[in-house]
Amino acid sequence: NAGVTQTPKFQVLKTGQSMTLQCAQDMNHNSMYWYRQDPGMGLRLIYYSASEGTTDKGEVPNGYNVSRLNKREFSLRLESAAPSQTSVYFCASTVSGLNTEAFFGQGTRLTVV
Amino acid sequence: KNEVEQSPQNLTAQEGEFITINCSYSVGISALHWLQQHPGGGIVSLFMLSSGKKKHGRLIATINIQEKHSSLHITASHPRDSAVYICAVRGTASKLTFGTGTRLQVTL
């Protein structure tokens, strides 16, 4: 059981560079999420997708875009990275509408210099 | 004021001690999650509960919906319990709102 798979695990970018964080789940979950985790703060929601073909902004969407490519995959794109986007990013998935557990990827540690 | 407040922020205990971590929330929820995060590691779900009490091994989670409060207890704590424990509440559209976490260190 792979669960939620995130790539890459680590990444260093220069200011202005772009990159895409990949996330895939094999549990047939319909809801997927991208969070960032910063020191002293709880995980904050960037974007989420309640079902294939839909995406919605979360608490901190500025500077990010997402794509729900299919039911399995939900990618997060930084078009022009900024130092303020240095963070640890987590992808998560769950079954919406039911009180079920949430499953998290291993995280991506991103540094923007 | 954050929607989800955890206390304490940091906790040091000796092996064998009984540990309690508290979580208070200010919004209506459908469920509450307790999660564990080891240093440099991913996030693992410990419990999801919407009422009452759940037990798994040495871990016990309780929730009082009327008081908007939940507790996570660890009995007979062990150094391998050292981690950050995170409370998260599930609101509308299945979105999770997270507390800032409680960093637990269990020493020999």
Side-chain angles (χ1 to χ4, degrees), chain A residues 31 33 35 37 40-45 48 50 57 90 94-102 104-107 109, chain B residues 9 30-31 33 35 37 40-48 50 86 90 92-101:
Chain A
S31 294
Y33 311 85
Y35 295 91
Q37 185 179 38
M41 306 183 76
L43 280 84
R44 292 181 293 167
L45 182 64
Y48 69 102
K57 294 179 180 179
F90 287 95
T94 188
V95 178
S96 62
L98 296 174
N99 282 332
T100 58
E101 288 184 35
F104 291 81
Q106 284 296 304
R109 187 173 293 274
Chain B
Q9 287 189 318
S30 60
H33 298 252
L35 309 163
Q37 185 176 28
I43 298 170
V44 176
S45 177
L46 297 174
F47 293 104
M48 189 212 64
S50 53
I86 302 169
R90 182 191 290 253
T92 57
S94 294
K95 288 190 289 185
L96 291 174
T97 303
F98 294 80
T100 55

Side-chain angles (χ1 to χ4, degrees), chain B residues 1-70:
Chain B
K1 189 178 187 297
N2 293 333
E3 292 181 347
V4 182
E5 298 274 359
Q6 280 186 244
S7 63
Q9 287 189 318
N10 295 284
L11 181 56
T12 301
Q14 284 199 318
E15 184 176 12
E17 284 186 11
F18 181 83
I19 289 163
T20 296
I21 299 170
N22 296 299
C23 176
S24 296
Y25 55 92
S26 57
V27 295
I29 67 169
S30 60
L32 183 143
H33 298 252
W34 281 103
L35 309 163
Q36 181 191 56
Q37 185 176 28
H38 280 282
I43 298 170
V44 176
S45 177
L46 297 174
F47 293 104
M48 189 212 64
L49 63 165
S50 53
S51 65
K53 176 180 173 179
K54 286 190 177 180
K55 185 176 189 292
H56 185 257
R58 294 180 295 105
L59 300 177
I60 303 166
T62 64
I63 188 168
N64 185 317
I65 297 293
Q66 286 72 31
E67 294 186 4
K68 292 188 164 66
H69 182 268
S70 175

Side-chain angles (χ1 to χ4, degrees), chain A residues 15-53:
Chain A
T15 298
Q17 285 185 316
S18 62
M19 79 161 294
T20 299
L21 281 65
Q22 306 286 353
C23 176
Q25 51 87 14
D26 61 2
M27 297 170 284
N28 204 36
H29 287 168
N30 44 2
S31 294
M32 297 184 74
Y33 311 85
W34 276 105
Y35 295 91
R36 60 178 289 173
Q37 185 179 38
D38 300 294
M41 306 183 76
L43 280 84
R44 292 181 293 167
L45 182 64
I46 304 171
Y47 270 93
Y48 69 102
S49 171
S51 62
E52 185 180 352

Side-chain angles (χ1 to χ4, degrees), chain A residues 38-97:
Chain A
D38 300 294
M41 306 183 76
L43 280 84
R44 292 181 293 167
L45 182 64
I46 304 171
Y47 270 93
Y48 69 102
S49 171
S51 62
E52 185 180 352
T54 67
T55 61
D56 287 285
K57 294 179 180 179
E59 186 184 349
V60 288
N62 290 345
Y64 306 95
N65 284 301
V66 289
S67 293
R68 184 73 183 268
L69 304 169
N70 46 54
K71 193 169 187 180
R72 288 188 65 247
E73 298 171 290
F74 188 39
S75 61
L76 178 72
R77 183 159 178 83
L78 287 72
E79 290 291 352
S80 178
S84 60
Q85 294 177 305
T86 293
S87 188
V88 181
Y89 292 84
F90 287 95
C91 176
S93 73
T94 188
V95 178
S96 62

